[in-house]
Amino acid sequence: MKNTNDNQKQLDRFPHQPDANKDYPHHTPQNTLPFADKIGNYQRNIGRPTNVYKDSKVYIIGAGIAGLSSAYYFIRDGKIPAENITFLEQLDISGGSMDGSGNAKDGYLIRGGREMEFTYENFWDVFQDIPAVEMPEPYSVLDEYRLINDDDPNYSIARLLHNQGEIQDFSGFELKKSDQLAIIRLLLKRKEALDDVRVNEYFSDSFFESNFWIFWSTMFAFEKWHSLLELKLYMHRFLHDLDGLHNMSMLVFPKYNQYDGFIVPLRNYLIEKGVTFQYNTSVTDLDIEFEQADNSASVADSAHEPTKMVKAILAEVEGTPTTIAITENDYVVVTTGTMTEDSRYGDNHTAPNLDTVLGNQGQSTGWTLWNTLANKSAVFGHPEKFNGNVAESSWMSATLTCKPSALIDILKTLSVNDPYSGKTATGGIITFTDSNWIMSFTCNRQPHFPDQPDDTLVLWVYSLLMDKEGNYVKKPMPECTGNEILAELCYHLGIIDQLDHVVENTLVRSAYMPYITSQFMARAHGDRPEIVPQGCTNLGLVGQFVETKNDVVFTIESSVRTARVAVYSLLNVKKQVPDIDPSQYDIRHLLRAANTLNDGKGFIGENLLRKLLKDTYYEHILPPAHLDSQEESKRNDFIFSEYWESIKGLWHK
């Protein structure tokens, strides 16, 4: 038997999740660990667990990417036998929100997609060990992914459209100097100062009228009322990608949809290892034993947090109540919340049925367990901050299964390559800037599904502001049938006169998701629980609704990160999970970002830097000089003086 108090002390002692935002990177005689955000193969060492866990059972609640990654790390680094791991999944399929289903006859369905880039270090830490989808051994999913993207660069030639199909200039951000300074000021702010602050409470109206905002909001699904803190974290996390934001040249995509590309191979790997998957199982509660605080504790022990140990899992298996006993040697990992809970569906002729969404918000099955845990203790967070305002957390998507039509004809003119070629097509979403719904659509590499017929393309459409009337269809998007969504799309593409032909050759499956951006809702410290909440000895929380040091939400990387932290912390594996990629501290990326925010026309202090670095080893770190850079630099220097008072206050406002 392990001593839970001693184990908790061990967990507190080893820095499984170092924080680069708090640490000064330096060497000391006693420190043997890498810097907090040191990325690389040194982190691939095999850790040494403090105990032998061959008799421990692991129950993972939720078989999305966070849960699947948890199982992977329990096996690889925790050395727990795979046959000791059981998934308890509410649905009848793995994958959670990373879904992909259907067929060419009935129509394919993808509720959402996630952009990816090079620095998903934890995600690739898993998938460099998972056998490739199509390539033979010894190739991995990572190998296959790299080969596809190295050979076929991603970018867009039509990122923005307006005036019914006309390509709009998308070459620059068009940010005013005051808005550029506001971004810099935000980057300098401490995270603790941004609790419960919304984006539109900080930025001016001109910021929301810029190309930068339309790029940002449509690519990442940010709304004006979302968390300013999360926006800040995104800016740090993807600082190195800013100069590819306008044409999406920083993105990389899999060959197929993300369910077939990632979930299927990882699930199959775990099954082959011996992991058990139990579907149609809804976990409603955890029986947690709370250690009573010792009032006689000495001052030295006053910081001791009473332990919390899971003793049983309460579940319903296909409607039948079931209790699973948990010992102190067993572990439970829970995915808190779900972005795609209570999704509602439509097709060509029907709109999604939303009758009970508002009356049931935050109370449907996927939220039950987190709600219940939060009622037991404040250490489990406040789910109502995320699931209690459907009006601000929902949007709608539609998947189009397309035979040749006028829609495909116009698509070819907006794509980098012929969509039937198997190469990059639109290179990411194309957004209609004059759409009331802020409608976007994309065509990824085809086929998007392994069984997709040669003459069929799969497109994806979504809208950010779906509660407004469409420009052509005078209804909010959730009230629209699939054919009406097609009509709105064809109107904005300038082919409304060929709508009948498009409808005849296009299957539409729509999805209304009431919580799809719930993880972005304005929040304060404590609203999201820690990955291993204070005092918990055998319980970890993973997914999009838990606290990390500096990572963002709404990425598959952050889901995997939480899984890795949970396993290392629970088992006290002597390994660290590196902080996010350190590009935010790299002077090269900082200079490039500053230049990019000003549309490549230079940045404040550029003249001085060019003089200092001319003909030196470090000259190459400066962005290429703009044609008008000298004149622009003079203007920038003037602006520097003009804004000196506000610049002086960057650190304090």
Side-chain angles (χ1 to χ4, degrees):
M1 289 290 187
K2 62 187 178 189
N3 183 308
T4 55
N5 288 338
D6 288 345
N7 190 51
Q8 185 62 35
K9 289 175 184 176
Q10 287 178 325
L11 299 189
D12 293 339
R13 212 165 41 230
F14 191 84
H16 295 99
Q17 191 182 188
D19 188 351
N21 188 238
K22 299 283 179 66
D23 297 340
Y24 171 65
H26 67 293
H27 292 288
T28 64
Q30 302 304 317
N31 182 29
T32 62
L33 300 173
F35 301 145
D37 52 6
K38 181 66 176 177
I39 307 294
N41 289 329
Y42 194 67
Q43 306 285 19
R44 285 277 289 179
N45 64 300
I46 297 175
R48 184 177 63 249
T50 56
N51 292 302
V52 176
Y53 298 101
K54 61 183 177 64
D55 296 323
S56 295
K57 305 292 185 187
V58 174
Y59 294 90
I60 301 174
I61 301 168
I65 186 64
L68 295 173
S69 301
S70 299
Y72 169 85
Y73 282 115
F74 272 120
I75 295 168
R76 191 192 80 178
D77 293 328
K79 308 306 178 189
I80 287 183
E83 58 269 21
N84 289 11
I85 301 173
T86 300
F87 277 94
L88 305 176
E89 169 56 52
Q90 168 191 337
L91 304 175
D92 59 1
I93 191 172
S94 302
S97 299
M98 285 181 67
D99 61 346
S101 60
N103 54 62
K105 179 177 178 295
D106 303 311
Y108 293 102
L109 176 66
I110 315 153
R111 285 178 292 185
R114 295 141 203 89
E115 284 98 353
M116 298 177 64
E117 49 98 64
F118 300 145
T119 64
Y120 283 14
E121 296 296 335
N122 295 287
F123 184 80
W124 296 125
D125 181 67
V126 174
F127 281 95
Q128 64 183 302
D129 292 338
I130 306 304
V133 175
E134 293 180 332
M135 297 182 73
E137 292 184 356
Y139 289 98
S140 69
V141 170
L142 171 59
D143 297 326
E144 197 169 48
Y145 196 99
R146 275 294 307 263
L147 289 170
I148 289 168
N149 285 281
D150 288 354
D151 294 342
D152 180 26
N154 186 85
Y155 59 97
S156 174
I157 61 170
R159 175 65 180 88
L160 303 179
L161 297 183
H162 64 167
N163 298 335
Q164 294 182 264
E166 178 185 329
I167 295 177
Q168 183 176 336
D169 180 15
F170 60 95
S171 59
F173 287 166
E174 300 181 358
L175 284 164
K176 290 186 175 180
K177 289 292 190 297
S178 57
D179 293 321
Q180 294 177 42
L181 285 169
I183 291 174
I184 294 171
R185 186 181 296 117
L186 179 61
L187 288 169
L188 290 168
K189 280 185 178 294
R190 296 188 67 83
K191 294 179 292 184
E192 295 79 8
L194 301 177
D195 280 0
D196 282 329
V197 181
R198 297 176 175 225
V199 176
N200 57 5
E201 292 173 336
Y202 176 80
F203 284 107
S204 66
D205 290 343
S206 61
F207 174 79
F208 298 111
E209 294 165 0
S210 67
N211 274 358
F212 177 89
W213 177 248
I214 197 72
F215 295 147
W216 188 278
S217 62
T218 56
M219 178 174 165
F220 295 124
F222 264 92
E223 305 279 14
K224 296 178 182 180
W225 53 81
H226 280 154
S227 166
L228 181 65
L229 170 59
E230 193 62 33
L231 179 68
K232 170 185 170 63
L233 293 176
Y234 260 75
M235 287 182 171
H236 288 281
R237 178 69 179 80
F238 298 114
L239 184 80
H240 57 277
D241 288 330
L242 273 185
D243 63 340
L245 187 64
H246 68 297
N247 61 16
M248 296 194 162
S249 57
M250 78 293 198
L251 297 179
V252 282
F253 289 102
K255 179 177 181 180
Y256 298 122
N257 66 85
Q258 291 174 335
Y259 174 79
D260 287 302
F262 302 127
I263 298 297
V264 170
L266 180 52
R267 180 201 63 200
N268 291 347
Y269 172 88
L270 295 173
I271 290 173
E272 289 172 9
K273 290 285 186 182
V275 173
T276 299
F277 285 79
Q278 182 175 310
Y279 297 107
N280 300 308
T281 301
S282 297
V283 176
T284 56
D285 197 2
L286 300 179
D287 179 10
I288 300 177
E289 180 180 86
F290 288 75
E291 177 195 63
Q292 295 301 311
D294 183 0
N295 294 328
S296 65
S298 66
V299 174
D301 293 331
S302 61
H304 171 68
E305 173 72 22
T307 60
K308 305 168 185 68
M309 182 186 298
V310 178
K311 304 292 286 186
I313 297 172
L314 283 62
E316 292 184 0
V317 182
E318 297 185 346
T320 303
T322 303
T323 299
I324 302 171
I326 302 296
T327 74
E328 64 178 351
N329 293 311
D330 299 334
Y331 296 93
V332 177
V333 171
V334 175
T335 303
T336 55
T338 165
M339 296 181 292
T340 49
E341 171 65 11
D342 205 19
S343 295
R344 304 301 179 89
Y345 303 100
D347 56 29
N348 284 72
H349 307 291
T350 61
N353 183 347
L354 309 183
D355 287 351
T356 61
V357 170
L358 285 178
N360 194 42
Q361 65 181 6
Q363 301 305 311
S364 50
T365 308
W367 295 105
T368 299
L369 182 54
W370 189 16
N371 290 340
T372 304
L373 290 176
N375 287 332
K376 295 179 189 291
S377 171
V379 301
F380 296 118
H382 303 102
E384 68 277 5
K385 291 288 287 286
F386 305 96
N387 62 26
N389 192 345
V390 164
E392 294 188 349
S393 65
S394 58
W395 47 254
M396 188 169 171
S397 70
T399 309
L400 314 184
T401 304
C402 308
K403 298 285 188 179
S405 72
L407 174 58
I408 303 307
D409 292 339
I410 193 71
L411 175 68
K412 290 180 179 180
T413 69
L414 302 173
S415 296
V416 176
N417 300 293
D418 187 311
Y420 293 104
S421 68
K423 294 187 175 183
T424 293
T426 60
I429 58 169
I430 293 174
T431 298
F432 302 107
T433 58
D434 52 1
S435 162
N436 291 345
W437 293 348
I438 312 296
M439 179 185 251
S440 300
F441 76 99
T442 184
C443 179
N444 290 330
R445 292 188 183 98
Q446 304 290 314
H448 202 47
F449 288 82
D451 65 350
Q452 191 175 314
D454 291 342
D455 66 342
T456 300
L457 298 180
V458 174
L459 278 63
W460 185 76
V461 177
Y462 97 106
S463 297
L464 272 180
L465 302 180
M466 59 186 188
D467 57 327
K468 301 182 183 300
E469 283 191 351
N471 300 75
Y472 181 79
V473 179
K474 303 301 182 181
K475 295 180 183 180
M477 189 178 181
E479 295 179 15
C480 290
T481 66
N483 286 344
E484 289 171 328
I485 294 171
L486 275 181
E488 189 73 12
L489 176 64
C490 287
Y491 168 79
H492 284 293
L493 286 171
I495 53 171
I496 192 64
D497 58 329
Q498 300 179 73
L499 176 60
D500 290 345
H501 186 231
V502 173
V503 168
E504 183 182 344
N505 290 282
T506 309
L507 294 172
V508 182
R509 295 181 65 182
S510 59
Y512 170 89
M513 294 162 283
Y515 307 105
I516 192 61
T517 61
S518 54
Q519 67 282 349
F520 280 161
M521 298 294 281
R523 64 175 188 266
H525 181 73
D527 289 336
R528 303 192 307 186
E530 298 293 331
I531 294 173
V532 177
Q534 255 192 328
C536 289
T537 60
N538 63 348
L539 174 62
L541 308 177
V542 297
Q544 299 295 318
F545 298 93
V546 294
E547 200 64 60
T548 60
K549 299 298 183 185
N550 296 302
D551 211 346
V552 298
V553 294
F554 215 6
T555 69
I556 49 184
E557 164 70 1
S558 56
S559 287
V560 178
R561 172 184 294 281
T562 63
R564 196 175 182 186
V565 171
V567 173
Y568 290 7
S569 299
L570 287 172
L571 303 185
N572 201 21
V573 177
K574 291 296 192 281
K575 283 182 63 117
Q576 294 176 298
V577 181
D579 207 338
I580 64 171
D581 187 90
S583 58
Q584 61 173 320
Y585 303 116
D586 187 325
I587 187 64
R588 296 169 300 172
H589 296 303
L590 288 167
L591 293 175
R592 184 159 52 89
N595 189 54
T596 300
L597 289 175
N598 195 34
D599 291 336
K601 298 175 182 175
F603 51 89
I604 293 170
E606 180 182 352
N607 264 348
L608 177 60
L609 269 178
R610 290 199 181 279
K611 290 174 183 175
L612 285 172
L613 298 180
K614 185 172 176 56
D615 297 327
T616 73
Y617 179 82
Y618 294 101
E619 185 175 13
H620 72 284
I621 71 173
L622 293 170
H626 188 266
L627 289 176
D628 303 320
S629 62
Q630 250 190 340
E631 195 58 39
E632 184 69 21
S633 280
K634 290 177 185 175
R635 285 198 295 271
N636 281 334
D637 291 342
F638 171 75
I639 290 162
F640 186 89
S641 301
E642 186 182 19
Y643 283 98
W644 174 240
E645 289 305 315
S646 63
I647 292 169
K648 280 197 304 185
L650 284 175
W651 287 265
H652 306 293
K653 285 191 178 181

